[in-house]
Amino acid sequence: MYVKLKINGIETTVPKGGTILAAAKAASVYIPTLCHDPRVAPTGACRLCVVEDRRRPGQLIPSCFTPARDGMDIVTDSPVVTAAIREQLKLILINHPLDCPVCDKAGECVLQELVIRYGIVEAPYTLEAPFRPVDRESPLIERDMTRCVLCGRCVRICAELQGKGELEFMRRGYGTYVDTDGSRALDCDFCGLCISACPVGALTDKLFKNTTRPWKLERRETACLHCGLDCRIYLNMEGEILRRVTAPPDKDGAEELLCVRGRFGWRAAAGAVRRPPGPWLRDARGRRDATWEEALDFASRRLAEIAGERGGGAVAVLTADLLTTEEAAVARGFFRTFLGSHDIASLQAAGYRRLMDQLDRMLPSPPPPASQEDLLAADVLLVLGGGAAEWHPVLKPLINRYRQGEGKELIVISSWPDYLFERATLPVAVAPGHLEGFMAELQAALEGREVASGLDASRRGIDVGRLARLVSLLQGQGEIAVLVVPDLYARGDARAALAASLHHRVQRILPLGGQFNSRGALSAGFASPRDFQDILADIEMGRIRSLYLIGEDPLEDFPDPQRVRAALSRLDLLICQAPYATTAAEAAHVFLPTVLPWEKEGSVLAVTGQRRHLRKVMTAPPGARGDGEILEELRRMMGDPPANLPGRVAAVGETGSSGSPAAPPPGSPAATAAGGRGFPEDRTSEANAVGAEAPSPAFPFLLVPVPSLFGDGLVSRQSPELAGLKGGLGVVMNNDDFAALNLKDRETVWVATPYGAAPARVRALARIRPGTALLLHAPGNPEGLSLLRSDVAAVPAAIGRKEAP
Amino acid sequence: MGKALLKGLLLTLRHFFRKPETIPYPEVKRPVPERFRGRPVLLSGDDGQPLCVACGLCERVCPSLCIAVIPESGEDGVRRLGSYRLDLSRCSFCGFCVEACPVGAIRMGGDYELAVYRKEELIMDAEGLQRETVKRETGPGRG
């Protein structure tokens, strides 16, 4: 259904329900706006978008929220309209300081442009300025409300899209201003959507503040590094200096969405302190800086020796998915085909790779790419596992957009109250440790199989009514899309199985938790059923003698760093190839500094399946080289493939036959399928049966490590801003538990588990199940990691003020 | 012939007793006219600091791209001048920077002796730009 109308004499059409403003845009007619943001619902606060209908002269219509009607004959530039706009601008200027010379918005300020466009040179009205707060204390976002024009864009975008409602109108009438409750500093997601929405300089980016001017910036498009959604971003460069990150407009001209990592985490790539100037070696004489030739010569010689002596199977590889797809193909060729290594695993993307690997094996065809539009088009969105919006924070505004649709259902099955869980139309809470069991039973029940214990809802702490609704929605007519969310460290195998079992009824299955180019790495053939847990056991047993780290750090990204450190010290060769000198770099025999994706060219594949080609947008540090370049050089230096390799023959055979990911080496699948048999601690595999150990009197809480909004990945951790927002290890408890322990908000407490103890900052949340505590920001924190064990979704813990036992 | 010579010498002699038309430059400087556009000068406030608020408009408007303004945050969080650089070897003395300045912090000065031994000396910082040696008889409207 379309509406036909005339704008300034131009015939145009707009879908029924569309506004006059939308019609004018379609007709390429300019209408001034200040409070209009296409991303949120219109409100008509600024009255600058007034137009006139020729059939009713003199009557001014706000075009941004008046629906177009058939036969309208709109004029946007009649003397009445222009005079009204000019008058309105003068009224707005009463309470807007003329501090453009020192305002960061100058040059991209909507009000400034309008004042110039309409030639307002005099300020005829003067009134005493009302009270307006100025907040320079909040991190990252500065609020100078004296500049505010009360358009309400920040208030609406924060509530509607980010779902936080951090900013609100205070007081009434002439005294109105925008502030947080109680005029405190901001304590929100710091997504910066309010900054992107503010038409004037009332909300500004503190990192950008007083550094340059917008007209000096060149925008270079690339993809965000901080998660696998690969959001499009503009790097705002002044020469070769990165000044800020903004979102490009989407196809409708509205600015795209970004999260805190994308908007404020860019200093991880520009000016990070841990980027070393060149390679180094560590041998009997100690650590010394080396030239690239020396370092590569050493690495290639030692790799050839180890692969020659013990076979390619003695070399294992860990890759963070910062490689471009082309580089991933080079890496696969080098390690799988040339060296004959079986193990290419990942730490940060371990959960994602495992999900994809399982789906690959269980689905008749690979899961089709699910774009953001596909998700929005579904009627039922089923989220398996907690932490979807914490892995990928841009899902917050996307899911809020989804929820605005009519009759949309959001089902979240999670053991902790994550962001989506709290906004779900059907939240299904499962006790920590029971999630896997519940999903396995649910799958069996949906398939009509007998469940041994019945769907014993009460035992797992599940509301029976909700369960019935869940089943009826899953068996209903609505189109279903499934988001599968991995745990931080545990292998959540049942959720992939459940998703796969629904495939005939489900439009899209989207596994989450991927890193920058995780999907691209899988498409290049990195898939492997073995993860670092298996590799670690093999290192301890002496089967693996060499570990090649590409952007990964097992000392920072795997539970139990002491065990990892002991294992690493048994290696004959540890090569660390990474953009940053992290903890493992200090222990490595060879360190090779690499460039970041912004500093190289190549294609990436987002977890949504969207392929993008990225240009080089920043100059690389002088001492760093590309990952692909390094591996090709190593291969060239090694000459022939290392001879007499028992593993190599098999590897060539299996990879040569097809482009599909290599099958696991003989002997290993059985060991891995059992979920880490051969693991030194039997307790862990026992615990795996329920996913968590039971609390005991000494350790009354269940501690669940969860992903952080501010980024757990290696790149996110290099950003001083994101690290500052995290504020170290954090623990979130139920309100009653918190009160019973008589704790203060953000007080430092000791968290102890059977494996270790660490100080953490405590916060309370009402919706957490009593007896459960969430552990935040453990990745990258050795003390935090020492509390945990891999493959366990939750560990028993004690929390208290006292020193740890 | 001798008479003509004497006549000439007499004319010369007469000039010895007249007020001289020339000035003993460089000991004495010629005053510059009111609208003379010499080397740009950054004006200082009472505290001796430049009045400039680092808005960057002079840099934007400069046709020969000889100005670089680097701002910084003051203690109160407000933008202030970090560093100001003007490359006199590129300056065309057009005066656009003066016209663009919203706070009247720069004006065209009276200095015209701009010869230096090394070109690098022509790149001036805020401190150098605040100094002015040649004063005008009557200053222009601003400053």
Side-chain angles (χ1 to χ4, degrees), chain A residues 303 306 314-318 335 343 532 535-536 539 544-550 554 564 567-568 571-576 588-589:
Chain A
L303 267 180
I306 288 166
V315 180
V317 190
L318 291 181
F335 291 111
D343 295 311
F532 184 63
I535 294 175
L536 192 61
I539 294 175
I544 287 175
R545 305 301 310 161
S546 169
L547 189 60
Y548 201 117
L549 305 173
I550 304 183
V564 175
L568 292 189
L571 289 169
D572 292 336
L573 177 64
L574 177 63
I575 302 179
C576 183
H589 296 104

Side-chain angles (χ1 to χ4, degrees), chain A residues 36 70 127 164 233 278 347 401 471 480 517 589 651 659 700 755 757:
Chain A
H36 178 72
D70 259 325
L127 271 173
K164 285 308 256 190
I233 52 170
L347 295 173
R401 229 172 232 178
V471 173
I480 304 177
N517 192 23
H589 296 104
Y755 318 108

Side-chain angles (χ1 to χ4, degrees), chain A residues 101 136 209-210 212-213 216, chain B residues 55 59-60 73 76-77 79:
Chain A
R136 299 192 205 277
K209 183 189 165 188
N210 296 349
T212 183
R213 282 295 186 191
K216 285 157 85 174
Chain B
C55 71
E59 177 180 348
R60 177 84 182 97
S73 287
D76 54 354
R79 172 181 280 251

